[in-house]
Each structure stands twice: as structure tokens, then as C-alpha cells.
Amino acid sequence: MANALPKPVQRLINEFARLPGIGPKSAARLTFYLLRVGDEQALELADALRDLVERTRFCSVCFNITEADPCELCSDPNRDDHLLCVVEEPLDVLAIERSRAFHGRYHVLHGAISPVEGVGPEDLRIEELLARVAQNRLQEIILATNPTLEGESTALYLQRRLGDAVPKLTRLARGLPVGGDLEYTDEITLGRALEGRQEL
Amino acid sequence: MTRERTFRSEAIVLKRSDFGEADRLLTLFSREQGKLKAIAKGARKPQSRKTGHVELFMRSNFLFAKGHDLDIITQVEMVEAYAALRADLVRTTYASYAVELLDRFTVEHDKHLGLYQLLADALGWFAADEEMLLPARYYELRLLSLTGFQPQLFTCVSCAETIAEQDQFFSAELGGVLCPKCQTADRRAQPITAVALKVLRFLQTRPYDAVKQLHLRRPVHTELEHIMHTYLTHILERNLKSVDFLHRLRQEARP
């Protein structure tokens, strides 16, 4: 059977279908939506994609995604140079920024150590972190990797490598989420919440 | 015939990956149904009631709802967290190794109570024992026996003569020990010392409580590890990620 779809349409469907979470049906739906919605919106999407590729890069200091190098967070003179927060992904920087509770600098590892998946330290921006620590007078490094097995493994590894290179090495507290329920909390989280309890 | 729409089982989390907006796709090894894949909806949100119960290596009680493709986890409660596995990178790596091996040697929906018990025990050993090498070798040998790849250690794989207590050869291809006379049956067979062979036989036939009492010298451990890894990669026809990782850790630990 001959393919009833013109080549450009099929090509876009194929491209959409490569995105995570999008199956062939959704890909076709998105493509036909763009065909119908008019040239302007479709071209804007194309422009946005081109911009994304051409105008973003990794910040040479913190390895966050940025337009200007060094990134805004690294070049902001109002942030504390003595505090460094290490995160797994660029989206984690956004999450911490939203909390408005941290005013230091960041370092993005781009992943976490995973023996199961075969992701080792050399696959992450760890050497860059060590170099950064050696060059700067830091007072504290906050390991803000996820409280998952991979995140914990990464924190343990970093603890080993950073050793005495910094006066204070901390890990984000683990405990109960706001709006959570004790009854449904697992023992590990509850245990950690008890350990980290605070005097009122 | 009506099909039950829900089922429950104790299971251990082998693998997990992100799925959709905030869900996790888990690969579990369950007591009742063997290996299976299921979705934990919303498990990436901190407020989720499932989050802390579906982490890697955890043994939990699950309630599943039958789905079209994938089953959906409706309730879960942790039975054993093996917390010590999370506090030490070497222990984490050995637990990863145990889980990776089991994953490679099993197919979905093939119930195997013996394997389930072995994995649960092994995670306990890796969490609690001081020494990782012996439990690792014991786990490998038991896993091989339970999955039908038990190496032949008491008679020569070529001539079937009883193996004498002397240095021999181990053939990954033929699946066991070759006596010196039959050494040429597999030119890639590697030498195995009488001591190492004795230990392998002991591990294959004795319960873990007895095995735990053994104290081996470093060269014997190295030899055993090499032989077992060669045999396992021969059967699986590929390298194990957690083994590569372990080697890297060891290399870095060297001054």
C-alpha cells in the first residue's frame, strides 16, 4: 500500500514520535493540529526549536543551561560565592530557586551515579566540580541530589572525593512533605524525620 | 472465566524508570508471579503515598490492578528497606549486581519462589555482612543452579571422570571443570587452583550459614571472582554494568 501521507507530514509525525511520552497517535494529532492552526504558530514553533538549539549552551562555570556564558546565576554579584549547591539536573536549579531559600551558586552534575544503569562518576560533571572547589574558597557545599538510591550514591561518592576540601559539607534534610500524612509515610523517611527533628 | 481485577504480592524492586508526568515504571520480582512490570502512579511526587515504598531494592507488599498493558500499583507497604544498602557505595553496587543478574536470568511472569527467596536473602547479606565477596559468589552459584546453569564441579565435563584434588581447568563454554587430560577440549579454558575449586564446591553444596564461616585469602577471592565473572558473561553474552562499575570503584580506591 502506498503511503497516503505527503513526505513532510510523515517526517514531522516521525520526529514527534521520537519525543518521550509521545506515541504514534499523539504524534499524528500534533502534526495535523499544526497543519490546521495556520502558518504563524507552526513557524513560531520552528523558530523556538531553532533558538533552543542555536542559542543555548552549558554555562562553563556551573553547567546549567544558559544563553549567555557564564549564566545569569553565576554572574549575579548579589549571590554568595562561599555557598555551593550541587544538583543533578538543570530543572533542580529551578526548583531550588523557586524556594527562594538559597542565595549561593550552583553546580549541575547532569545525572546521578547509578550502578544499575552503568552511569559512573566520569559520566557526570564531577571532575569540573572538584576543580571548582579547588579554585574557590568555599565555606559550604550543599549536596542537593535526589533522595533516591542514585542520588544517595552520588552524595556518598562526592563525600568521599571532596573529603576535607571544604569546611562544611551538608546534605538536604529528608523528612515529611508539607501536606503529608504520617500514616502513609515509609519507615525510612519517618526515621530520618525523627533524627532531624528540631527544637521549637 | 472471570479474571481477578486485582492481585497482591510481595515483591522486590529491581529497576525503575520515570514514566509520564510524575509516574514511575517499576520492574519487580514478585513472590507470586515472578518478574513483572507495573506503574506506580504519581510516585515521583513527594506527597505520594507510594514514593518511599517503591525505591530500588525495597521489599514491599503490593496490591496491583490489572491493566491493559501494564499493571497498576494501587497500594504498597514496605516490608524491608535494607537501609544499610543505601548508606555505602560498595554495598549499593553489590545489591545492584544481585538485582542485575536476576533481571538478566529471568523472563517476565515466570514464578520462582526459590529465586525470590535467594534475592531477598542476598540483599540482607549485602546489607549486613562485613564482607561482600563470599555472599556474592554464593549468590552467583545458587542463582546459576536455580536457573539451570549450575556449573559441573565434581566430574570432568569432557570425560566424566571424577575430579581429583589438584589444579584443574574451568571451561565457561562447556560449563564446568576439565581435568588436565581433557584440557584441550576447550582451548580457552582457564586454570583453576585446587583451593579455588574446593571453595566453589563448598559454596555450591552448603548452606549460607556454613559458607559465612569461611575465611579466604585475597588471591583465592580474586581467582574465584574472575572465574565466576567469565562464566556469567559467557552465558549472558554481554558485560554486566554493575561489575564494570565495581571495577571502577576499586581502581579509584587504589592510592
Side-chain angles (χ1 to χ4, degrees), chain A residues 32-142:
Chain A
F32 279 93
Y33 170 78
L34 287 173
L35 273 176
R36 223 178 28 238
V37 79
D39 297 354
E40 202 179 319
Q41 196 178 339
L43 287 176
E44 207 147 292
L45 176 69
D47 251 7
L49 281 174
R50 185 165 294 280
D51 258 11
L52 178 77
V53 176
E54 287 176 354
R55 295 180 53 189
T56 60
R57 56 185 132 171
F58 290 134
C59 170
S60 59
V61 182
C62 71
F63 296 95
N64 198 356
I65 293 164
T66 175
E67 215 178 321
D69 187 20
C71 71
E72 259 180 58
L73 291 167
C74 287
S75 46
D76 184 348
N78 295 322
R79 298 190 77 100
D80 188 347
D81 276 325
H82 301 105
L83 268 177
L84 185 69
C85 180
V86 181
V87 295
E88 289 179 21
E89 300 291 345
L91 282 175
D92 300 333
V93 173
L94 279 184
I96 292 178
E97 278 300 291
R98 272 202 308 268
S99 78
R100 295 169 197 252
F102 178 72
H103 303 287
R105 309 280 182 194
Y106 290 95
H107 189 90
V108 183
L109 296 172
H110 290 277
I113 292 175
S114 168
V116 183
E117 299 298 330
V119 181
E122 69 282 3
D123 301 317
L124 310 176
R125 301 282 186 180
I126 286 182
E127 289 309 319
E128 290 88 341
L129 171 67
L130 296 174
R132 219 177 142 185
V133 172
Q135 281 164 15
N136 294 285
R137 267 182 189 279
L138 291 169
Q139 260 152 28
E140 180 178 355
I141 298 181
I142 303 167

Side-chain angles (χ1 to χ4, degrees), chain B:
Chain B
M1 200 180 84
T2 52
R3 219 169 50 127
E4 284 285 332
R5 287 171 65 188
T6 61
F7 64 99
R8 64 179 67 238
S9 179
E10 193 181 284
I12 295 168
V13 184
L14 302 183
K15 278 199 293 197
R16 51 147 170 59
S17 53
D18 293 349
F19 194 85
E21 179 79 19
D23 308 340
R24 283 222 155 99
L25 173 62
L26 305 180
T27 306
L28 304 167
F29 197 76
S30 68
R31 188 203 285 268
E32 321 296 334
Q33 308 222 355
K35 189 159 78 178
L36 59 93
K37 287 201 170 115
I39 301 276
K41 292 253 183 213
R44 268 149 70 204
K45 294 183 188 160
Q47 296 93 332
S48 165
R49 292 168 179 182
K50 299 178 196 118
T51 311
H53 305 263
V54 295
E55 260 295 288
L56 278 179
F57 313 143
M58 277 183 186
R59 185 153 61 89
S60 302
N61 266 317
F62 289 85
L63 184 68
F64 301 91
K66 284 262 180 208
H68 264 298
D69 284 333
L70 291 159
D71 298 329
I72 303 201
I73 294 162
T74 54
Q75 286 176 35
V76 53
E77 189 175 35
M78 184 212 299
V79 178
E80 172 64 62
Y82 304 107
L85 292 178
R86 281 152 239 278
D88 180 306
L89 204 48
V90 175
R91 289 185 196 276
T92 309
T93 310
Y94 273 97
S96 306
Y97 177 59
V99 157
E100 188 181 6
L101 267 189
L102 186 95
D103 187 31
R104 292 280 178 83
F105 272 95
T106 50
V107 290
E108 279 179 44
H109 299 290
D110 188 8
K111 180 183 169 176
H112 201 314
L113 208 55
L115 274 180
Y116 182 80
Q117 196 52 52
L118 177 68
L119 180 64
D121 288 345
L123 291 177
W125 303 327
F126 291 134
D129 286 13
E130 258 169 54
E131 211 269 334
M132 301 285 105
L133 292 165
L134 262 182
R137 300 295 87 78
Y138 181 82
Y139 175 77
E140 291 160 349
L141 279 166
R142 284 299 144 117
L143 182 88
L144 287 167
S145 300
L146 289 169
T147 50
F149 291 98
Q150 176 171 324
Q152 189 174 319
L153 303 174
F154 291 86
T155 53
C156 170
V157 282
S158 176
C159 68
E161 290 279 330
T162 307
I163 291 291
E165 200 177 318
Q166 63 184 69
D167 292 356
Q168 311 280 352
F169 294 86
F170 187 89
S171 163
E173 199 168 321
L174 301 171
V177 182
L178 277 174
C179 68
K181 272 187 291 179
C182 300
Q183 183 206 338
T184 47
D186 174 11
R187 266 177 291 150
R188 277 179 299 176
Q190 44 187 329
I192 177 170
T193 58
V195 187
L197 180 59
K198 212 169 163 179
V199 176
L200 281 186
R201 287 174 168 193
F202 191 82
L203 294 180
Q204 199 177 63
T205 50
R206 304 296 293 273
Y208 185 69
D209 285 340
V211 167
K212 222 174 133 175
Q213 311 299 327
L214 285 179
H215 288 284
L216 303 180
R217 285 179 307 118
R218 197 80 207 173
V220 181
H221 270 308
T222 311
E223 185 183 356
L224 289 173
E225 185 179 76
H226 181 65
I227 284 171
M228 289 311 294
H229 285 170
T230 312
Y231 185 45
L232 287 163
T233 34
H234 176 81
I235 296 170
L236 295 168
E237 295 179 345
R238 60 205 264 206
N239 282 345
L240 289 149
K241 288 176 189 166
S242 45
V243 172
D244 295 341
F245 190 84
L246 189 65
H247 288 316
R248 268 188 262 166
L249 273 188
R250 283 187 191 154
Q251 248 166 15
E252 276 186 18
R254 260 176 230 144

